[in-house]
Amino acid sequence: MDFSFLQHTLVALLRGLPLTLNLAVLSLVGGGVLALLLNLLRQNRAGSYLARFYVWLFRGTPLLIQIFMIYYGLGSLPAVRESIFWPLLRDPYWCGLIALILNDAAYTSEILRGGLNAVSVQSLEAAKVCGMSRFTTLRRITLPIAIRQALPAYSNEIISMIKSTSLVSTISLMEMTGIADSIVSETFRALEVFLSAAIIYLLLTVLVSKGVALLERRLSPYYAGAR
Amino acid sequence: MTIDWQLLGFGDEGWGGVLLNAATVTVTVSLCAWLLGAILGSLLCWMQIGGSRWQQKLAGGYITLFRGVPELLVIYLFYFGGRQVVAFFGEILDIPGPYDVNGFVAGAIAIGLISGAYQSGVFRGAYYAIPKGTLEAATVTGMGRLMMFRRMIVPQALKTALPGMGNQWQSVIKESALVSVTGLVETMNQISTASNSTQMPFFFYSVGAVIYLIITTCSDFVFRYVEKVAMRGQQRARL
């Protein structure tokens, strides 16, 4: 075992960590907002078909194809190249981020839908009787209950998004997997380099799952009674 | 935008034939990986339920490892790392190079190992849903362990496990697109080739998306049908 090489590799890989985290956090935030909008769309019939089509489209195709489509595909259309979005869509960072957001929104909207289904009609009626406006009801009753119900499923989604960020290495973004790939092509020592990268990702995902488990316990105060 | 549909034709000019071939490779890799995942998943599930303490720990560690590491990284590890391992043994055994690892085998094994970690969870949930009385009854009537597995556990657990296995199948199909990085000519790889040589990436990536949608939508129907067959004669809980 060549420890100085391993140390060198780990330091180099950790330089990619900020970009990995940046992509993961921003795609989860953007995807969450879009997922909420998709669920609001579901309130009427036409919107519901639209939302279902969106989910079918983005869950049925591989993320890799979505990334390539936005990066290589959209850039090949003259209409896109002349539009104001071109400075954004020319940049692999924004293309990767947009693909991750769109993909995350499809999965998160389904998780949120499950959570919203768990909100009882009675609690909504009670809110109405108290004279809450629709927005206040959403903010104080519906979303807190829905989010608490959806949290276990959502923790899976957080972890899968952290892992999905590795795919943007295929469009030349130097996050952790991109850096690992470039070190391998310089040194031909795939086993050590990819294993080091795997360990960093593993620590990250374990940390997140522990964190969400803690949050879950904090958000369910009434379970604490069953000691 | 005018689209030249001839591009998708089946003759020498069109890409239809090679794309169909590539789609077949996608389905084959996915099927191998999914079956490997099912076998591995049952073994892991068995280790977690009935194993000794260290077996439980081992299975738990395996599941954490393969769920926590990005799929792309696992594929890279198996393909490039596998090459390194093959070269190492090749030099020891004095087999002349060049050493290479088959992209199909490396990809199917990598995705199968990941899928196994997820499927074990599906199976474990399904096992716990089996009424314990039926297993006691099987023990009382003197069934051996293998017969009990075949005639009591599998038919009962499968009913609960099928939706989860269907989900796994869908994600295996999508993960198979990642195998394109090893040079295996499946749908994603063929689509990239087509878009590069025709300079029409938007069109060809859309075609790729449609191919995956066809595969996932068709298999969804198959799973629903199998589920219906498995659930026949079963009273369903009313919500």
Side-chain angles (χ1 to χ4, degrees), chain A residues 34-46:
Chain A
L34 207 56
L36 189 59
L37 291 177
L38 279 169
N39 272 291
L40 292 176
L41 255 185
R42 280 182 186 273
Q43 300 304 315
N44 65 53
R45 181 178 274 244

Side-chain angles (χ1 to χ4, degrees), chain A residues 56-57 59-62 64-65 68-69 72-74 76 107 163 166-167 181 189-192 194 198 201-202 205, chain B residues 64-65 67-73 76 80-81 84 118 174 177-178 188 201-202 205-206 208-209 212-213 216-217:
Chain A
W56 172 74
L57 191 68
R59 293 213 304 183
T61 55
L64 193 62
I65 235 175
F68 279 13
M69 188 141 186
Y72 297 115
L74 286 181
S76 73
Y107 287 93
K163 295 194 298 173
S166 74
L167 292 187
D181 212 13
R189 295 167 81 166
L191 217 53
E192 292 99 320
F194 286 136
Y201 276 106
L202 195 63
T205 48
Chain B
T64 320
L65 186 71
R67 288 209 299 197
V69 172
E71 292 81 0
L72 186 64
L73 216 55
Y76 275 148
F80 297 113
Q84 223 173 319
Y118 286 97
K174 285 181 284 166
L178 305 183
M188 189 64 206
F202 189 75
Y205 284 119
S206 314
Y212 279 104
L213 280 174
T216 48
T217 310

Side-chain angles (χ1 to χ4, degrees), chain B residues 39 99 131 141 166 173 225:
Chain B
I39 294 167
Y99 309 106
T141 47
I173 289 171
Y225 175 74

